[in-house]
Amino acid sequence: MFPAPSPPVADRMTAAFGEATRLHGATGVPRVWGHEGRTLSGPAGDRWLRLVCAPAGKGCGKLWEGPAESRALPAAIRRPRLLSVANWTADHHHYRAELYEHAGSAVSPTPVLASLPELPNYWWGELLDSLNALSAVRTERIAVREDYIRRAVPQFTGHSVNAIEWRTAHGDVHWSNVTGPSLKLLDWEGWGAAPLGYDATCLYLHSLHVPDVAHRVWKELADVLDSPASRVGQLVACAEILQAAPRVDFYGELADAVRRHLATLGGL
């Protein structure tokens, strides 16, 4: 999803991926880099191996624990099953290797959709059911902090924030975190409380380069997105993309479309 990091980081993570396959008794090929080489993932036989790292001596935090804690979520939320976890420390870093059942291919190799995907009608029902089931979960985890919301939304969108209606969210719903033709939601690092409409808006904004898909996302998730209570969630999703636009190319290319969506939010 992201480009390979600098050679020292790439070499260290590739070696750690080899250790991860040994610990899990599997053979695997690393293929997918996370942001700045923090994660490295790839197939391991008929399963999927995800390696995550954090500097030793620093708290690993909610992102470290999110996938393991997601195992307690209701079965109605479609996600790959986490089979086992291995932890170790080396090279002044903590490592965690998560072995999953193979969930199939992501709809897009990058978060922002570039072409029309072939998704059956039942996929949209699976998406709606999963997000609805997740929104009803009670959790102490936080996906989007309120202090960030009240600071970033005015700064990056020019809009104000009043009352926030909270729901439990995946926290990173985009087109490389969903599989097809059968839906699985991937990457459960950051799930937790977020403003109503946040997940739905994230998927919608990441669809804007393909208007037919953006229209379909809005149509399928209209019960949330047409609600005035979703305004804060929509503003937060816009603010995050606009904040990232100067340093992430695909968000820079999306920024104008996000600003056009922002212009529609005054009436919500």
Side-chain angles (χ1 to χ4, degrees):
M1 185 173 69
F2 288 91
S6 63
V9 175
D11 291 345
R12 176 177 56 78
M13 287 293 286
T14 301
F17 193 91
E19 175 66 5
T21 62
R22 186 190 68 80
L23 291 171
H24 282 295
T27 57
V29 180
R31 289 185 181 173
V32 182
W33 287 104
H35 183 58
E36 296 183 345
R38 181 179 170 273
T39 65
L40 180 59
S41 304
D46 60 351
R47 299 174 181 179
W48 186 263
L49 184 62
R50 177 179 181 270
L51 173 70
V52 59
C53 75
K58 295 186 178 180
C60 297
K62 70 164 190 175
L63 296 179
W64 193 265
E65 300 298 338
E69 292 180 355
S70 74
R71 287 190 285 194
L73 292 171
I77 302 167
R78 299 183 65 88
R79 63 199 189 279
R81 186 161 56 99
L82 176 56
L83 302 172
S84 59
V85 175
N87 299 291
W88 73 99
T89 300
D91 303 319
H92 307 292
H93 284 79
H94 298 304
Y95 295 95
R96 172 167 287 188
E98 301 160 349
L99 188 67
Y100 292 88
E101 65 178 2
H102 205 302
S105 299
V107 172
S108 169
T110 61
V112 179
L113 195 65
S115 60
L116 189 67
E118 294 184 6
L119 296 174
N121 286 331
Y122 69 76
W123 188 94
W124 298 96
E126 293 172 344
L127 175 66
L128 181 60
D129 291 347
S130 294
L131 294 183
N132 284 344
L134 179 59
S135 71
V137 169
R138 297 175 65 89
T139 183
E140 297 298 317
R141 290 178 56 84
I142 298 173
V144 186
R145 301 186 317 275
E146 184 170 358
D147 61 343
Y148 171 82
I149 294 170
R150 298 198 179 278
R151 170 175 50 83
V153 167
Q155 180 180 354
F156 292 101
T157 74
H159 288 256
S160 61
V161 175
N162 295 316
I164 302 173
E165 189 169 332
W166 296 94
R167 293 289 189 274
T168 298
H170 174 277
D172 200 19
V173 180
H174 54 62
W175 290 102
S176 57
N177 273 345
V178 293
T179 67
S182 181
L183 171 74
K184 292 287 174 59
L185 285 162
L186 309 176
D187 192 0
W188 286 85
E189 282 192 330
W191 71 277
L196 173 70
Y198 175 77
D199 274 348
T201 307
C202 285
L203 191 63
Y204 173 74
L205 296 177
H206 286 83
S207 310
L208 288 175
H209 286 333
V210 188
D212 286 349
V213 178
H215 176 77
R216 182 72 184 267
V217 171
W218 196 281
K219 175 184 175 182
E220 297 292 341
L221 303 179
D223 285 351
V224 171
L225 291 173
D226 282 341
S227 167
S230 75
R231 178 178 180 273
V232 175
Q234 295 190 46
L235 289 171
V236 173
C238 291
E240 289 180 336
I241 289 175
L242 294 177
Q243 181 179 15
R247 63 182 188 275
V248 180
D249 288 346
F250 52 73
Y251 286 142
E253 295 166 1
L254 191 61
D256 285 345
V258 171
R259 292 188 184 97
R260 288 193 291 271
H261 177 66
L262 270 174
T264 72
L265 295 181
L268 275 181

